[in-house]
């Protein structure tokens, strides 16, 4: 289902991932969770996560069982602005 955020900015894979991270800012997601929630191919998702991690838009942690989890880096000014834009659009 297309949300108001995606109707406004487009339904690109990047926006689907961004929306997932922003909607539940306090949650961490596994690669599989992100892939399933956004319907993005593993290759494209991997490239996007690597790019955003290098740009420090997202952060990753390893769990005790060595699973990598991702979350939006709310200390990053770009990520903060994206959250502000999202919040403004869905008002």
């Amino acid at each position: 289902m297309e949300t108001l955020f995606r109707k406004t900015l487009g339904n690109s894979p990047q926006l689907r991932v961004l929306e997932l991270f922003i909607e539940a800012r306090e949650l961490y997601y596994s690669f599989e969770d992100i892939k399933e929630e956004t319907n993005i191919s593993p290759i494209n998702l991997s490239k996007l996560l690597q790019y955003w991690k290098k740009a420090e838009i997202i952060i990753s942690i390893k769990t005790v069982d060595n699973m990598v989890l991702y979350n939006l880096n709310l200390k990053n000014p770009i990520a903060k602005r994206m959250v502000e834009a999202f919040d403004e659009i869905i008002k």
Side-chain angles (χ1 to χ4, degrees):
M1 182 174 114
E2 193 170 65
T3 63
L4 180 58
F5 182 69
R6 285 185 267 145
K7 281 182 186 176
T8 304
L9 297 175
N11 192 14
S12 71
Q14 294 88 349
L15 284 177
R16 291 196 306 263
V17 174
L18 179 61
E19 184 177 41
L20 177 69
F21 282 130
I22 291 174
E23 284 182 330
R25 298 162 206 182
E26 66 284 346
L27 298 180
Y28 283 81
Y29 293 95
S30 71
F31 184 90
E32 286 298 316
D33 292 338
I34 299 167
K35 185 179 72 147
E36 288 177 22
E37 289 290 326
T38 60
N39 293 317
I40 298 174
S41 74
I43 291 170
N44 288 336
L45 180 58
S46 179
K47 288 178 184 178
L48 177 62
L49 293 176
Q50 287 174 21
Y51 177 78
W52 281 359
K53 190 170 177 196
K54 186 176 180 180
E56 298 181 350
I57 292 170
I58 61 170
I59 55 175
S60 65
I61 61 167
K62 282 192 178 180
T63 62
V64 175
D65 57 354
N66 282 331
M67 179 181 237
V68 177
L69 300 176
Y70 300 92
N71 192 356
L72 197 61
N73 180 5
L74 295 174
K75 294 179 181 176
N76 179 292
I78 296 169
K80 281 184 188 178
R81 303 275 312 236
M82 288 189 277
V83 169
E84 290 168 4
F86 176 86
D87 290 343
E88 192 63 32
I89 289 169
I90 65 164
K91 272 187 180 178

